[in-house]
Amino acid sequence: MTNPVTENIRRSLGRTAQSPLSLRPAIYEPRISESIDAEIERFLSEVKKLSGVSQKLSSPEIDSALKTLITDQNIRKATVWETPHLRQLGIAEILNFLGVELISPNANKYEMAQCDLGITEADYLLPETGTLVLRSSDEKPRAVSLLPRVHLAIVTPAALRADMHQVFAETKDSNYLVLITGPSRTADIELTVTLGVHGPKNLYVWMMKE
Amino acid sequence: MPKAQLFITCLGDQFYTSTLQNMTHLLERLGVELTFPPEQTCCGQPLFNNGFEDKTRPVALNFMRAFSKSDAPIIGPSGSCVSMVKHHYPSLFKAGTPEHALVVDIASRTFEFTEYLVNVLKVTDVGAVYPHKVTYHASCHYLREMGLKTEAKTLLNKVKDLELVPLNEEETCCGFGGAFTVTYPEVSRSMMENKVKDIIASGADTVVTCEPGCLMNVAGGLHKTGSKIRAMHIIDLLSSKEL
Amino acid sequence: MTDTHPYIGFEEYSEHVPPGIPLAVQQATSRFVGGRAARVAELPQWEQLRQIGSDIRQHTIENMDTYLTRLEEKVVAAGGHVHWAETAEDARRIVLQIAKENNVKNVVKSKSMATEEIELNHALEAAGIEALETDLGEYIIQLAGTGPSHIIVPAVHLKKEEIAALFSEKLDIDAPTDPIELARIAREVLREKFLNAGMGISGGNFLIAETGTLVMVTNEGNGRMCTTMPDLHVAVVGIDKVIPDWESLTVFLKLLARSATGQKLSTYTQFITGPRRAEGEFGPKEFHLVLLDNGRSKILKDPVGRDVLKCIRCGACANVCPVYKNVGGFAYGSFISGPIGAILSPQMLGTQTARELPYASTLCGACADVCPVKIPIPTILRHLRRRVAEGDAFALPTISTPIRVTAMLTSLALAQNWMYRLGARLLPIINPFFRKDNWLSGMPYPLNRWTKVRPLPSFSAHFRKWWNVRSAKEKDS
């Protein structure tokens, strides 16, 4: 398959369609993880530096933590990823009990945009930068971490990876991937940092103790 | 006794006779036997930096003729002029030609003044006395093309009673840039005024630099504001026995 | 290049810089420079990363055809469409065609320099399609009808009061001057647009050939909105954005945000491979990648100039450039400013249109020190000056005659020792006419261009005579 652009390129470089690909230069050695506790602490601390709210929780503590969040952030409508772990934690039930209206994560974008809170997990975590890595699928739609003004990610230590290398090795065949590092921000108006311009204004990250 | 040839630079020649005299005396005091090839004119930077490579070549050839009569090292009081010879002259001549071989040889033995003192003669204390607050402007080609990051301050720190005070944006260009001053005079003006402001704010009564071009620009700018701050070439400061 | 671009009069533009610009630009650049310095200090392997980044970009440029071919295969295999745009006109036509076929009336755009390069918004508007910029800074300057003053924060030259007035006027509201409130207003207005747009247009930071993946780096989330909410996503990306694989990307992700704003990583890094795969998932049903050439393949011919294609658009060069910081983005006369603009525009637009830009620098070298992919900007500036002054294999000279004649005379005088020394002896004659306190001012052309800014030292070439006298004395003694 030829097109004028690749033809132009070949002509400029003196190459043909049969020209070999030279060896790509080597990358550096990837980072090695420290102890799991150190990685967890590093991760949670980086999230805080980005104006996110991070804490460690055990499953019995979820109930009251959610209650506090709902009150603090004035949550009336929420949407939750329907994943095994979040189902096991009973997130939907707790929200229901707290009087929060639940919108299906597969609802249309207009309904989703009415939500105040979106709850997801994270497929991977990067401690150096406090980054959440989220894949996307039917049960894990992208908009849940994007449309609501509050994003809560309930994560586990098993998701931690030392470096982007490890993450990419496992995710490069995804259709969609997003790295989330802190809440949405801009400094476009007189360099004043403002959170939540289009994406979520508040990012909560709860690291499960188990 | 080490031998060296004086490369006085066109700006030094036209405007800074006393600096060149100080350079002569200082090097001789350090035991260097100096010669001055009179055929020299200019390194050709103003032409080369403005894209006139073909027109630079005859100027470079003149330099090479002047300085190839002796095989002694060549010392110049300007990082940009020396860099022109060391880093850019070889690109003017085709590899494999006798001119190229000659210019590579000349490039290998051309030194900037502070470079020669600190790195070749291994001298850092020349017995200078200058009881003043001094601030240092790091000239762009001296710093980045020649890679001379510590030599000037090493010498300044050995000057008796000299207090070195920091200059805000020490490494920011002063706006000289050779022909830039006449190509875009208003932009050059803004840059020069920023540098002058920073010099005044440093609290120093003297600003020192290793580059005649920067010196011309900054000294003129300071004079225009009515400032009493002295602008000096490092050679003049190092020749000072002021008590 | 089929488009004609107006002549870029850097001298004129730089002499008419709007008064607030230098200060605003300097505030932005010093924030970013400080941030960058802190991040670089944290990474002991920074210089090694820069070298690797440079090597990979070099390698990619030299094999660009192979990587682009691979990219196309992978995008198509993932269910996306690939369009090749040789010129800006081609790119506009392709995007308009896609919009027309899908009855698109409203477009939301994420920040994309490639779309600014091809002036896509004008074309969309002319076709009766609303094309709304959604990055806050871009949204503001779109409302204001001006160009960007800085690559990363394009509206930094506008005060909050001006932005409030702008919002009040254009949105028919009473906007407060608090930046946080203004951002909230923008969020509300644009949210409605995101949800209802028929098409999202984006650029791209990288294109991963290995899997046909578009990488987008943003901070606000508008990039995610534009590529998640509408059913149609069109990405316009320069061919030079291709990189070999995900492994290489790790290097650029480490270099990019740190170099640009001093963040470790931008808030959102998205990886898009074709349209969405499942029904219940959000995301576009159709994904179109428009690969933009627009002169890049021609630049590849020049082994020196083509290093400009390594650029990852971080803006670090502009942040340290003393020229840029005194004139701002408008003076560079095109969609890209600062040192990278000074070497890209002359190669894209030609050395007649952009002949003043390679000279818009003192060759101080600060940019080369910070470029994350080690583009030797001063070398390329000199290389392009050569093209303007004397011409080379790629273009005839375009320098003005007076300058060419001056250079000729200068070369003559400097190459002949006797002529030079005669000049040196004659120059002091003019001193008395202009001298005051050993300084010369008010000189005639061409030296007036120096003396109007600061005085010249008086001509005093006495060294040679002094040396000769001294040597004679020594010989006698």
Side-chain angles (χ1 to χ4, degrees):
Chain A
M1 202 196 298
T2 62
N3 60 73
V5 177
T6 37
E7 282 314 301
N8 288 344
I9 295 170
R10 287 192 180 124
R11 216 173 306 122
S12 288
L13 293 172
R15 284 167 66 83
T16 68
Q18 287 75 36
S19 294
L21 181 65
S22 49
L23 200 59
R24 191 215 71 197
I27 312 293
Y28 55 88
E29 289 306 311
R31 175 179 178 260
I32 299 174
S33 298
E34 293 166 31
S35 73
I36 191 84
D37 288 327
E39 296 287 277
I40 292 172
E41 285 318 305
R42 182 112 188 241
F43 174 76
L44 295 174
S45 138
E46 287 298 320
V47 171
K48 288 195 176 77
K49 282 187 203 166
L50 296 161
S51 309
V53 177
S54 65
Q55 55 181 162
K56 284 189 282 208
L57 286 178
S58 52
S59 16
E61 294 172 308
I62 297 250
D63 210 305
S64 64
L66 266 175
K67 185 158 182 217
T68 311
L69 197 162
I70 304 301
T71 319
D72 286 348
Q73 295 296 343
N74 203 6
I75 307 292
R76 284 150 311 159
K77 287 187 181 175
T79 180
V80 186
W81 274 5
E82 283 161 0
T83 55
H85 187 223
L86 293 181
R87 247 193 286 261
Q88 185 202 6
L89 289 173
I91 301 295
E93 286 78 17
I94 300 173
L95 289 172
N96 236 326
F97 184 74
L98 291 169
V100 175
E101 186 185 338
L102 273 172
I103 306 289
S104 161
N106 301 114
N108 68 53
K109 54 194 178 183
Y110 300 97
E111 287 183 355
M112 187 71 74
Q114 302 299 317
C115 294
D116 306 303
L117 169 65
I119 304 181
T120 70
E121 291 182 69
D123 291 281
Y124 303 96
L125 305 169
L126 290 169
E128 283 185 298
T129 49
T131 300
L132 305 161
V133 183
L134 272 60
R135 295 178 111 130
S136 149
S137 66
D138 262 345
E139 61 177 21
K140 302 189 330 182
R142 305 172 204 188
V144 175
S145 64
L146 175 62
L147 282 172
R149 60 180 164 79
V150 182
H151 173 207
L152 165 61
I154 300 178
V155 306
T156 62
L160 284 162
R161 293 291 182 276
D163 203 317
M164 273 187 267
H165 291 271
Q166 288 86 345
V167 173
F168 291 164
E170 298 179 47
T171 59
K172 62 171 71 164
D173 294 321
S174 313
N175 161 232
Y176 181 82
L177 194 69
V178 65
L179 269 54
I180 298 175
T181 309
S184 147
R185 69 184 60 228
T186 183
D188 273 321
I189 299 179
E190 286 197 14
L191 298 175
T192 307
V193 178
T194 310
L195 301 180
V197 189
H198 297 298
K201 187 172 181 167
N202 299 92
L203 177 64
Y204 286 78
V205 182
W206 293 348
M207 171 77 74
M208 300 309 298
K209 282 181 184 159
E210 49 278 2
Chain B
M1 203 178 177
K3 288 189 162 82
Q5 308 185 68
L6 285 170
F7 166 25
I8 62 173
T9 78
C10 64
L11 292 184
D13 198 353
Q14 301 310 316
F15 301 113
Y16 296 112
T17 301
S18 54
T19 307
L20 299 174
Q21 290 165 334
N22 281 334
M23 180 170 157
T24 307
H25 290 137
L26 214 155
L27 286 170
E28 285 176 343
R29 200 159 37 84
L30 293 173
V32 182
E33 189 186 317
L34 293 171
T35 55
F36 166 66
E39 302 88 348
Q40 64 184 280
T41 58
C42 165
C43 66
Q45 245 195 109
L47 290 162
F48 184 76
N49 280 340
N50 286 289
F52 293 100
E53 272 180 38
D54 291 343
K55 295 184 175 55
T56 308
R57 215 166 284 115
V59 182
L61 284 165
N62 181 68
F63 184 98
M64 287 147 67
R65 267 192 302 268
F67 286 96
S68 56
K69 297 194 166 98
S70 153
D71 58 13
I74 302 157
I75 323 283
S78 159
S80 60
C81 302
V82 168
S83 186
M84 175 68 197
V85 174
K86 283 187 96 74
H87 302 121
H88 301 298
Y89 268 17
S91 70
L92 292 170
F93 302 98
K94 209 161 159 198
T97 59
E99 289 87 359
H100 189 262
L102 176 61
V103 84
V104 167
D105 168 59
I106 285 182
S108 70
R109 55 187 168 91
T110 305
F111 299 94
E112 185 276 339
F113 176 82
T114 62
E115 179 189 23
Y116 185 70
L117 245 60
V118 176
N119 299 337
V120 179
L121 292 182
K122 311 281 193 213
V123 167
T124 55
D125 189 337
V126 298
V129 183
Y130 194 72
H132 292 270
K133 257 194 194 148
V134 175
T135 195
Y136 169 65
H137 161 66
S139 304
C140 300
H141 292 90
Y142 175 91
L143 178 70
R144 296 189 185 93
E145 280 197 13
M146 292 297 294
L148 298 168
K149 300 193 197 305
T150 57
E151 287 75 358
K153 283 192 178 154
T154 301
L155 291 164
L156 291 170
N157 281 324
K158 289 283 205 271
V159 175
K160 189 159 183 284
D161 297 332
L162 183 152
E163 186 192 340
L164 197 57
V165 296
L167 177 65
N168 183 41
E169 302 235 8
E170 171 185 305
E171 297 182 349
T172 298
C173 182
C174 70
F176 175 70
F180 185 82
T181 46
V182 296
T183 316
Y184 297 121
E186 293 308 318
V187 186
S188 176
R189 180 202 298 269
S190 303
M191 291 166 72
M192 179 272 285
E193 286 175 352
N194 286 339
K195 181 60 66 172
V196 165
K197 228 181 279 173
D198 283 329
I199 291 169
I200 294 172
S202 73
D205 63 52
T206 305
V207 57
V208 68
T209 177
C210 302
E211 201 58 85
C214 301
L215 185 60
M216 267 170 80
N217 183 35
V218 164
L222 282 164
H223 175 79
K224 194 167 172 193
T225 66
S227 167
K228 296 281 173 280
I229 297 176
R230 276 175 94 181
M232 297 174 85
H233 192 286
I234 198 171
I235 288 172
D236 296 322
L237 196 154
L238 292 173
S239 304
S240 175
K241 292 272 194 282
E242 196 186 310
L243 296 155
Chain C
M1 282 293 308
T2 51
D3 292 17
T4 48
H5 193 280
Y7 180 78
I8 296 176
F10 181 84
E11 182 173 8
E12 194 201 316
Y13 305 157
S14 64
E15 286 180 5
H16 297 98
V17 176
I21 295 256
L23 185 62
V25 167
Q26 279 157 37
Q27 279 169 345
T29 55
S30 60
R31 165 93 61 99
F32 297 143
V33 165
R36 178 191 172 275
R39 294 293 85 72
V40 166
E42 287 164 0
L43 281 190
Q45 73 271 46
W46 180 256
E47 288 302 318
Q48 189 197 7
L49 274 170
R50 286 180 74 213
Q51 189 58 52
I52 296 170
S54 170
D55 291 342
I56 295 174
R57 293 294 281 152
Q58 191 77 42
H59 161 82
T60 313
I61 286 169
E62 289 165 3
N63 295 274
M64 196 185 281
D65 56 319
T66 308
Y67 282 122
L68 288 172
T69 306
R70 185 174 296 180
L71 175 79
E72 180 182 29
E73 277 165 26
K74 295 293 181 178
V75 172
V76 169
H81 303 267
V82 175
H83 310 265
W84 297 87
E86 211 180 343
T87 64
E89 175 58 42
D90 287 339
R92 291 192 294 262
R93 185 178 37 80
I94 291 164
V95 176
L96 281 170
Q97 179 78 2
I98 297 169
K100 191 162 158 239
E101 280 168 6
N102 290 276
N103 265 319
V104 171
K105 288 282 164 276
N106 302 287
V107 168
V108 284
K109 281 187 75 244
S110 139
K111 183 175 164 124
S112 159
M113 295 181 80
T115 60
E116 281 164 40
E117 180 188 330
I118 64 173
E119 296 182 316
L120 183 61
N121 289 0
H122 290 310
L124 288 167
E125 263 135 42
I129 299 172
E130 180 194 70
L132 203 61
E133 293 293 341
T134 62
D135 170 278
L136 182 60
E138 297 287 341
Y139 175 67
I140 291 169
I141 62 174
Q142 185 178 45
L143 285 179
T146 68
S149 54
H150 187 284
I151 294 174
I152 304 289
V153 281
V156 75
H157 59 290
L158 294 170
K159 294 254 152 287
K160 53 187 194 279
E161 290 79 14
E162 293 172 277
I163 297 170
L166 191 62
F167 278 19
S168 299
E169 186 206 343
K170 301 282 179 177
L171 303 174
D172 202 17
I173 54 169
D174 194 11
T177 57
D178 176 17
I180 294 178
E181 279 305 303
L182 290 167
R184 194 191 48 77
I185 291 169
R187 181 192 165 102
E188 266 172 39
V189 169
L190 288 169
R191 180 143 290 219
E192 195 237 315
K193 302 286 183 181
F194 286 130
L195 295 174
N196 293 309
M199 180 156 100
I201 296 179
S202 76
N205 294 80
F206 302 101
L207 292 164
I208 307 178
E210 186 184 0
T211 50
T213 301
L214 172 71
V215 183
M216 285 174 61
V217 173
T218 60
N219 277 304
E220 293 177 15
N222 62 313
R224 292 178 70 192
M225 290 291 212
C226 289
T227 58
T228 306
M229 296 299 123
D231 277 340
L232 194 53
H233 172 201
V234 177
V236 181
V237 187
I239 52 176
D240 50 330
K241 295 295 184 74
V242 69
I243 59 167
D245 46 35
W246 288 73
E247 273 243 305
S248 325
L249 183 68
T250 60
V251 178
F252 300 115
L253 289 182
K254 284 193 153 71
L255 291 167
L256 180 59
R258 288 184 165 96
S259 301
T261 58
Q263 292 169 279
K264 287 187 191 173
L265 209 56
S266 302
T267 311
Y268 302 115
T269 311
Q270 285 188 97
F271 301 83
I272 297 169
T273 311
R276 74 172 187 235
R277 293 204 188 138
E279 197 47 50
E281 206 199 19
F282 282 85
K285 292 184 183 144
E286 251 181 75
F287 172 69
H288 294 261
L289 175 63
V290 180
L291 290 168
L292 180 66
D293 180 352
N294 203 25
R296 290 160 175 76
S297 60
K298 192 156 150 251
I299 294 174
L300 277 174
K301 247 189 246 168
D302 176 1
V304 177
R306 72 185 181 208
D307 275 356
V308 74
L309 298 174
K310 287 159 69 176
C311 177
I312 61 174
R313 302 285 193 269
C314 69
C317 57
N319 289 338
V320 296
C321 177
V323 170
Y324 169 80
K325 289 197 278 191
N326 276 294
V327 302
F330 306 143
Y332 293 79
S334 87
F335 72 98
I336 191 163
S337 60
I340 192 72
I343 60 171
L344 183 58
S345 296
Q347 295 193 76
M348 274 190 143
L349 306 173
T351 44
Q352 175 52 52
T353 302
R355 70 177 180 177
E356 295 188 23
L357 285 179
Y359 294 91
S361 159
T362 56
L363 300 177
C364 81
C367 51
D369 281 352
V370 299
C371 176
V373 289
K374 291 182 127 171
I375 299 172
I377 298 175
T379 304
I380 303 177
L381 283 165
R382 280 195 181 97
H383 175 76
L384 293 171
R385 290 180 184 190
R386 172 100 205 281
R387 187 169 299 171
V388 172
E390 293 181 336
D392 59 11
F394 301 99
L396 292 169
T398 50
I399 199 122
S400 74
T401 307
I403 298 178
R404 192 161 33 89
V405 170
T406 309
M408 208 158 58
L409 295 170
T410 308
S411 173
L412 215 61
L414 296 179
Q416 317 294 331
N417 177 254
W418 68 266
M419 220 187 273
Y420 170 87
R421 280 160 60 164
L422 181 62
R425 253 210 293 247
L426 292 175
L427 279 170
I429 294 175
I430 66 180
N431 281 340
F433 298 97
F434 307 102
R435 181 164 44 198
K436 193 178 161 202
D437 303 328
N438 245 353
W439 290 96
L440 307 176
S441 38
M443 301 205 73
Y445 185 88
L447 288 172
N448 70 322
R449 287 171 78 83
W450 174 281
T451 56
K452 69 172 172 159
V453 176
R454 91 303 267 141
L456 198 63
S458 21
F459 294 105
S460 47
H462 306 307
F463 179 80
R464 292 165 187 267
K465 189 164 170 204
W466 173 81
W467 178 274
N468 290 340
V469 166
R470 208 178 73 129
S471 304
K473 268 203 209 124
E474 275 165 22
K475 225 182 264 174
D476 291 342
S477 57

